[in-house]
Amino acid sequence: MSADFRRLWISSGISGVGTWLLVVALPVQVFTLTGSAAATGLTLALEALPPLLLGPWAGALLDRWDLSRALWIADLVSAAAVAAILFANADRIWLIYLAVLVENAAATVFRPASRALIPAVVGTGPELARANAITATTASTIRLAAPPLGALLLAGPGMTTVLIIDIVSYLLSAAIIATIRAYPRTSDVGGVRPGVEYVVRHRALRGILLGQTLFLTANAGLTALLVPFIVNRLHAPGATVGYLISGLGAGYLIGAALSSKAQSWLGIRGLLAITQLATAAAFFLLVNSPNVAWAIGAAVLIGPPGSILLITAETAIQRTAPPTMLARIGALFFAADSLALIIGALAAPAATLALGLPVTLNALAGFAVIAGLLTLIVVPGHPAAFTRTPQQRRTELGT
């Protein structure tokens, strides 16, 4: 791997530690300050708004800008946003809401820029799948370790310590990324519309978008109901969800290690569909678990196919989208992810009121099965659909 990729990988890992420390600590802090579950829910909802509302426009801008510069500026903005939380209290809770919006607006720039920069650094050959697997392995390790550490720090030194660590992590990440050489963009395709039109008319990208959005909607619904499931079905404390997250992280580590090999065993369509169906099967095991131990085991089983699914989709998008439009197409996919999160998080609790918790949980797992079947139908099976020559990438809208 090139030195620039190593710098990008290290910086992402450092900033990821700070981010995941805050994932647990921030909702707890909001609830402590307000005593309101609705206020905590609002904090989580605000995280999904910037990618949905700003993502496509941010991607269009990135396709004309130096990606490494965009990354370190986004890190600095995130550091400033987190620093604002230091001044929040019960009377200034709006500072947390503002910080969440600004930090996630910066992430709306960071994520598509990072997705577009990786193939620019390592190319679109075998090294790309390996780079995505390495990045996913690191992210899974952080997801496994950082949330419990965040809870310990919150219970010990306190929220200020968590915030300072997060701020420092963003600053270190920015300093490392600033040493990456410039990767100027040469896109002459303006606006958001060309990226949307490209995805709509490109069968492979359109198919991935449809299948993944339906799958992630089901996943979001299940995530929204995890705590009620643990408390009402398993009769365990709500904090038990932390064990499930750790189990999922362990499974993600296994999947990340297998992802490069898996992509050589099956075509893109087959791998996407099989991992969606395998994850759906693990969803059924989870929502029908008789006790916490079974639920943790099911969470571990969700991890490997779930990790391979995400890495495969990421690599396919990077290889298939034109280099001059990769940032805006990546941002469009991130916006669809956010839309799935909002729909799933709102629809699942509403469905529970009408159908009851057990039926809703199984229905959501069933939607994940439908997503796998849809992927088999709408994603092309021929490898040529996912590989384009440079000339084709500049001129072809695909069929």
Side-chain angles (χ1 to χ4, degrees):
M1 289 295 177
S2 68
D4 279 346
F5 172 74
R6 288 196 296 271
R7 293 187 183 100
L8 182 61
W9 167 59
I10 292 170
S11 67
S12 297
I14 290 172
S15 63
V17 170
T19 299
W20 275 99
L21 288 177
L22 208 58
V23 163
V24 171
L26 190 58
V28 174
Q29 178 72 356
V30 171
F31 188 77
T32 300
L33 291 175
T34 65
S36 168
T40 306
L42 176 60
T43 305
L44 297 175
L46 289 175
E47 295 178 1
L49 283 181
L52 180 61
L53 300 179
L54 304 178
W57 285 268
L61 176 63
L62 289 169
D63 278 327
R64 296 180 179 82
W65 218 37
D66 173 42
L67 294 175
S68 57
R69 181 184 299 175
L71 289 172
W72 65 256
I73 290 176
D75 271 337
L76 291 180
V77 172
S78 294
V82 175
I85 302 176
L86 290 168
F87 302 96
N89 56 35
D91 296 323
R92 293 196 294 267
I93 195 69
W94 61 268
L95 276 173
I96 293 181
Y97 297 147
L98 178 63
V100 168
L101 280 172
V102 173
E103 184 185 18
N104 282 277
T108 299
V109 172
F110 191 98
R111 292 177 67 193
S114 179
R115 170 178 274 177
L117 183 58
I118 290 176
V121 170
V122 304
T124 57
E127 289 296 297
L128 178 59
R130 183 174 171 230
N132 286 332
I134 291 172
T135 303
T137 299
T138 304
S140 298
T141 303
I142 293 170
R143 178 181 292 190
L144 179 64
L149 179 59
L152 289 174
L153 289 173
L154 189 63
M159 185 65 179
T160 299
T161 300
V162 175
L163 292 172
I164 290 173
I165 292 174
D166 196 16
I167 293 167
V168 171
S169 73
Y170 278 127
L171 295 177
L172 285 175
S173 175
I176 294 170
I177 292 174
T179 66
I180 297 176
R181 70 182 178 90
Y183 287 87
R185 310 298 284 168
T186 58
S187 176
D188 58 359
V189 181
V192 176
R193 182 176 174 181
V196 175
E197 290 180 346
Y198 191 97
V199 172
V200 169
R201 295 176 60 183
H202 194 293
R203 186 183 171 196
L205 291 173
R206 183 178 69 241
I208 294 173
L209 181 65
L210 290 173
Q212 282 291 88
T213 301
L214 180 59
F215 178 85
L216 291 174
T217 300
N219 181 75
L222 287 169
T223 302
L225 297 179
L226 267 184
V227 172
F229 166 70
I230 289 170
V231 173
N232 296 330
R233 293 291 306 282
L234 302 184
H235 308 291
T240 304
V241 71
Y243 297 111
L244 268 67
I245 293 174
S246 293
L248 182 64
Y252 265 61
L253 274 175
I254 298 170
L258 295 174
S259 63
S260 295
K261 288 288 186 183
Q263 291 185 42
S264 66
W265 297 336
L266 291 169
I268 297 297
R269 179 178 67 178
L271 196 54
L272 289 173
I274 287 174
T275 51
Q276 286 172 342
L277 292 172
T279 306
F283 283 163
F284 278 113
L285 290 177
L286 172 64
V287 302
N288 293 289
S289 296
N291 53 52
V292 171
W294 277 86
I296 294 173
V300 174
L301 292 177
I302 290 170
S307 179
I308 294 172
L309 170 63
L310 295 177
I311 294 170
T312 302
E314 177 90 359
T315 304
I317 294 166
Q318 290 168 326
R319 285 177 172 163
T320 307
T324 56
M325 299 174 68
L326 180 53
R328 78 192 70 190
I329 288 174
L332 177 62
F333 274 82
F334 289 134
D337 293 351
S338 296
L339 180 61
L341 173 61
I342 292 172
I343 293 174
L346 294 177
T352 300
L353 294 176
L355 303 175
L357 184 60
V359 172
T360 301
L361 289 169
N362 282 279
L364 289 167
F367 269 103
V369 173
I370 294 173
L373 298 176
L374 178 65
T375 294
L376 284 174
I377 296 171
V378 299
V379 175
H382 199 283
F386 300 93
T387 56
R388 293 289 185 267
T389 66
Q391 181 63 28
Q392 286 174 320
R393 287 193 170 198
R394 285 192 296 269
T395 63
E396 185 182 359
L397 287 177
T399 57

